[in-house]
Amino acid sequence: MKPVTLQNYAEGKWIAGAGAMADLRSAVNGDVVALTSSQGLDFGEMLKFAREKGGPALRALTFHQRALMLKALAEALTAKKDALYELSYNTGATKADSWIDIDGGIGTFAVYQGKGRRELPNDTILIDGSVEGLSRNGTFQGLHVYTSLQGVAVHINAFNFPVWGMLEKLAPTFLAGVPAVVKPASATSYLTEAAVRVMLEANVLPPGALQLIVGSTGDLFDHLTSQDVVSFTGSAQTASKLKTHPVIARESVRFVAEQDSLNASVLGPDATPESPEFDLFIKEVAKEMTVKAGQKCTAIRRAMVPTKLLDAAQEALAVRLSKITIGDPRDEATKMGALVSVAQREDVRAKIREIATDGTIASGNPDASVGNTKGAFMQPILLRCERPWDARAVHDVEAFGPVSTLMPYKDAADAIALANRGKGSLVMSVFSYDTAFERDVVLGAGAFHGRIAFIDRDSAKESTGHGSPMPHMIHGGPGRAGGGEEMGGIRGVTHYMQRTALQGSPRVLSSITHRFMAGAPVEVSTNHPFRRKFHDLPIGYQLNTKTRDISLEDIEHFAHFTGDTFYAHMDEEAARANPLFGGRVAHGYLILAFAAGLFVDPDPGPVLANYGLDNLRFVKPVKPGDSIQVALTVKDKTLRKPDQGEVRWDVVVTNQNSEQVAGYDLLTMNAA
Ligand code: NAP
């Protein structure tokens, strides 16, 4: 097959690089599959194009519109995924490996589009946290908000996940309204290039939102500014080179690093060879060694077991690994494909030799010839380290291939200390049924690991496993792992936004954020708000109800009707003895029910359903003889479907002295 010449996508055009081309070879048979170069690109102009075209166009869209863009991109990628799978075989990936990369990447877009529409406002400003009172009378308040950065996200990715690696960074970036320049690792950039083509052909991205560099980044870093973000995934060595670039320091460019990591998995002290956790642990270690031929940043590099189980664990692992069929990833019988390149395999072999200075090879032969001799195949290698306390390489050297080291620990504290010897990792997993040990792990090791997965007999069947970063959860870790954080649901979006503390009057803050805040001007209702459709309800539209007296009979009737005869409502003497009540009080739920009775308009109308309350607080007791009144104000609104929207109402219940007795947000679904 004739190799394809890859193209860069710069300033709205596909451009082949000039000069000498780098050969990209198939991991399976060594054939040249693609040629690549980025020479001749004007990197400064690419960044300018993104800032001047892509950024403003993306920022003009609301979070929901950006989320719909992700949805359309996910659909386009799904429609063309067979072609991506076909290319993926050349990277050495089996179909199951490609599923993690391609479907996993598309799934990340799918999760983010859903979260974007459910958890973000249909707006361009994102509120962070709640209002802070900064003055006695409430005329000066504080609020934190996020707005989109006005620069470019430069995404530099590792070779092992050419699709997922790109999409997991793009999803939060696009939702944040920030354009991206993607630079995949050269070795597998032909697959990334194909995925970028699919996304651009979907025609949903504004010009300048997405550009691609296949090859070196040239002088790109010289043109970065403080509004840009570099998000890097790759080795610790490259990360340290890039983050010390003088422009990164001088301009305070945000630099996110997802590096390599000596991830640990611990079989709990409670395990025995018969316990379900023992089998689950063995299965997971073998899986993590062989999926993607062990080329996963999250793979288990250090497998720790109680000393008494070292031999049993080694034996079980060796049996399992011996059953792994290695070979052509297109062959359905193949369980483990090739490493990405012959050079990568040589690097892994060298690292194994280094790690072996701390122990012995317990299973597999690193130099055995497997599969096509022109391909980058190798056997999975299990090392054994008897004295991990005295070892260095095992806790320090990442062999980025099908390699893991088994080691003993003496007790729970020792297991935690050994796990932390990796000096910061992306993920640690614990196979135990002892929750006291698991809490100790969190307290002792939490600070060293970005994620901790507890897997046991209850969760194993549905568990997403040790090695899978989920879009809902943060991915990244401290120290050696790079100190970065990605994804984690909407947290990941905010990595591409600036948080700003706003201070001002409630009128100003409400107008800026499109969210009503207590103290802001209201529009007193002329007709009942429940008679108004979604689009006819302005923020701050307020209904003030009639009053309602609360009698002892009401309280007793409610108590017997509901069965809630708690002493505070029924026993004057006991209630008086409680300093919070000082006598019989109305049920909080009675206040809620009466409040609804005061503000509801009964006839069918635009309010389709009441679907819950948020932030409910009973702030002052209501006693027999008190009188309550409700202020119901439109707080904010989110269109959920073309003909339906969620209205959040601010509900404040006061007594006859205008003191607040209860407050909450009421949520209704309204016809638009
Ligand atoms: P790498 O050699 O560090 O390369 C990573 C990326 O950096 C590639 O795109 C590479 O491009 C680029 N790069 C290298 N030198 C550069 C420079 N001077 N300026 C700009 N870009 C430069 O890592 P890799 O071999 O691709 O990936 C394997 C490593 O990544 C492993 O250590 C693994 O643990 C880590 N990894 C971490 C994560 C995570 O999420 N934490 C995920 C996957 C992999 P070229 O390919 O063109 O050189």
Side-chain angles (χ1 to χ4, degrees):
M1 207 176 71
K2 198 167 164 291
V4 288
T5 301
L6 302 184
Q7 295 192 308
N8 303 276
Y9 190 71
E11 299 173 64
K13 292 184 289 286
W14 285 103
I15 307 169
M21 293 270 167
D23 291 349
L24 308 183
R25 289 178 183 274
S26 160
V28 183
N29 56 26
D31 289 352
V32 177
V33 290
L35 302 169
T36 181
S37 161
S38 62
Q39 212 180 307
L41 294 185
D42 187 331
F43 297 102
E45 283 300 315
M46 283 179 78
L47 293 178
K48 196 161 164 242
F49 187 71
R51 285 185 199 116
E52 291 180 0
K53 295 271 189 234
L58 287 168
R59 292 198 297 277
L61 303 173
T62 65
F63 290 111
H64 288 197
Q65 289 169 320
R66 295 173 204 155
L68 288 172
M69 218 169 60
L70 290 184
K71 185 167 185 253
L73 293 175
E75 284 163 3
L77 287 162
T78 304
K80 299 272 174 68
K81 75 178 175 188
D82 288 350
L84 301 179
Y85 269 79
E86 195 52 37
L87 285 175
S88 185
Y89 286 121
N90 283 326
T91 70
T94 62
K95 196 164 179 189
D97 294 339
S98 301
W99 184 83
I100 303 174
D101 186 34
I102 298 166
D103 278 277
I106 296 172
T108 303
F109 263 26
V111 168
Y112 267 99
Q113 73 81 18
K115 282 189 162 289
R117 288 192 293 156
R118 274 194 316 277
E119 298 174 30
L120 291 172
N122 193 19
D123 205 320
T124 45
I125 292 180
L126 174 63
I127 295 175
D128 175 46
S130 21
V131 175
E132 298 287 342
L134 301 176
S135 62
R136 187 183 291 254
N137 297 318
T139 60
F140 190 67
Q141 299 187 343
L143 186 68
H144 294 92
V145 298
Y146 284 104
T147 56
S148 312
L149 286 177
Q150 296 183 19
V152 189
V154 175
H155 294 164
I156 301 180
N157 294 323
F159 70 77
N160 56 339
F161 287 112
V163 178
W164 176 84
M166 168 171 65
L167 300 187
E168 64 101 6
K169 289 190 196 305
L170 282 181
T173 303
F174 285 157
L175 259 187
V178 174
V181 171
V182 173
K183 186 263 179 280
S186 295
T188 53
S189 54
Y190 48 90
L191 179 48
T192 312
E193 193 235 36
V196 167
R197 280 184 189 277
V198 174
M199 288 195 282
L200 291 169
E201 280 162 14
N203 230 354
V204 292
L205 287 168
L210 176 61
Q211 299 181 79
L212 174 73
I213 299 170
V214 284
S216 138
T217 49
D219 66 354
L220 182 110
F221 274 52
D222 295 342
H223 304 280
L224 294 173
T225 72
S226 60
Q227 287 294 309
D228 302 326
V229 181
V230 175
S231 182
F232 169 84
T233 297
S235 62
Q237 205 182 359
T238 313
S240 115
K241 187 152 121 198
L242 296 183
K243 74 177 144 203
T244 51
H245 190 284
V247 173
I248 299 282
R250 191 185 70 218
E251 301 287 323
S252 308
V253 180
R254 282 190 204 182
F255 191 95
V256 181
E258 296 291 349
Q259 293 170 193
D260 54 26
S261 171
L262 276 300
N263 311 294
S265 185
V266 176
L267 178 62
D270 54 310
T272 65
E274 292 74 39
S275 63
E277 285 71 30
F278 182 90
D279 285 342
L280 293 170
F281 171 81
I282 298 295
K283 228 162 134 180
E284 195 72 357
V285 174
K287 184 173 121 202
E288 287 295 319
M289 287 176 71
T290 52
V291 167
K292 285 288 292 182
Q295 301 165 112
K296 268 179 26 183
C297 53
T298 49
I300 298 170
R301 302 290 171 209
R302 299 176 302 143
M304 299 166 184
V305 299
T307 305
K308 63 178 191 299
L309 295 182
L310 187 62
D311 290 336
Q314 177 181 329
E315 199 178 313
L317 269 171
V319 169
R320 222 175 159 95
L321 292 171
S322 70
K323 292 187 185 146
I324 300 288
T325 333
I326 306 157
D328 187 338
R330 283 175 194 275
D331 187 341
E332 294 206 343
T334 296
K335 285 276 178 277
M336 187 173 101
L339 274 73
V340 75
S341 64
V342 170
Q344 178 64 21
R345 184 182 60 192
E346 290 320 303
D347 182 68
V348 170
R349 284 175 172 164
K351 300 279 173 53
I352 291 171
R353 284 194 288 275
E354 213 178 328
I355 299 169
T357 58
D358 282 337
T360 51
I361 292 178
S363 164
N365 173 0
D367 300 314
S369 168
V370 205
N372 186 328
T373 49
K374 291 194 179 141
F377 299 94
M378 72 177 286
Q379 290 183 349
I381 305 300
L382 180 70
L383 294 113
R384 171 175 167 133
C385 173
E386 297 278 350
R387 299 186 56 77
W389 316 277
D390 305 329
R392 179 204 65 84
V394 69
H395 303 297
D396 195 40
V397 176
E398 182 202 41
F400 199 60
V403 184
S404 191
T405 306
L406 186 64
M407 60 192 80
Y409 67 82
K410 295 177 228 168
D411 53 27
D414 191 37
I416 292 168
L418 285 176
N420 295 350
R421 282 282 299 274
K423 299 197 195 88
S425 89
L426 294 169
V427 52
M428 161 181 188
S429 57
V430 178
F431 290 76
S432 167
Y433 208 61
D434 176 351
T435 52
F437 169 62
E438 289 168 328
R439 183 176 157 85
D440 286 346
V441 167
V442 172
L443 287 168
F448 287 79
H449 306 274
R451 175 162 66 86
I452 304 181
F454 298 99
I455 303 173
D456 62 20
R457 62 197 80 172
D458 298 338
S459 65
K461 221 170 174 173
E462 289 197 304
S463 146
T464 51
H466 165 105
S468 305
M470 302 302 292
H472 322 67
M473 311 302 289
I474 58 163
H475 173 58
R480 170 77 187 247
E485 196 179 291
E486 292 184 322
M487 301 196 294
I490 297 306
R491 290 176 191 87
V493 178
T494 62
H495 298 154
Y496 295 93
M497 306 186 85
Q498 176 62 42
R499 181 164 43 197
T500 306
L502 306 184
Q503 296 174 319
S505 71
R507 182 183 70 89
V508 170
L509 299 183
S510 290
S511 304
I512 289 170
T513 57
H514 298 161
R515 171 174 274 223
F516 172 77
M517 278 155 215
V522 296
E523 180 182 336
V524 176
S525 60
T526 45
N527 62 336
H528 195 285
F530 279 23
R531 305 255 55 86
R532 289 194 169 203
K533 286 187 150 192
F534 180 85
H535 290 300
D536 299 331
L537 275 172
I539 304 290
Y541 192 70
Q542 186 176 71
L543 171 78
N544 285 292
T545 68
K546 296 184 301 193
T547 57
R548 173 165 189 155
D549 297 338
I550 312 280
S551 66
L552 199 55
E553 291 71 47
D554 289 332
I555 297 171
E556 292 193 342
H557 177 65
F558 189 81
H560 294 302
F561 183 49
T562 61
D564 179 354
T565 52
F566 189 58
Y567 77 89
H569 317 303
M570 304 304 285
D571 181 339
E572 179 62 28
E573 204 178 321
R576 198 170 320 119
N578 181 332
L580 290 178
F581 302 132
R584 287 174 79 175
V585 296
H587 304 68
Y589 299 119
L590 172 64
I591 304 301
L592 279 187
F594 279 172
L598 286 167
F599 65 65
V600 155
D601 186 64
D603 292 335
V607 176
L608 305 172
N610 158 6
Y611 73 98
L613 308 177
D614 276 349
N615 309 320
L616 171 63
R617 285 289 178 280
F618 299 117
V619 287
K620 198 172 169 55
V622 174
K623 301 204 166 156
D626 282 355
S627 173
I628 61 163
Q629 184 178 19
V630 184
L632 177 79
T633 315
V634 178
K635 187 167 185 177
D636 73 20
K637 307 192 301 176
T638 308
L639 195 64
R640 293 288 176 208
K641 293 182 185 164
D643 59 347
Q644 269 179 33
E646 175 192 296
V647 181
R648 180 176 288 269
W649 308 82
D650 180 66
V651 185
V652 176
V653 186
T654 46
N655 65 16
Q656 63 283 2
N657 302 321
S658 303
E659 296 164 321
Q660 184 171 343
V661 296
Y664 52 97
D665 289 356
L666 167 73
L667 301 168
T668 61
M669 197 53 82
N670 286 37

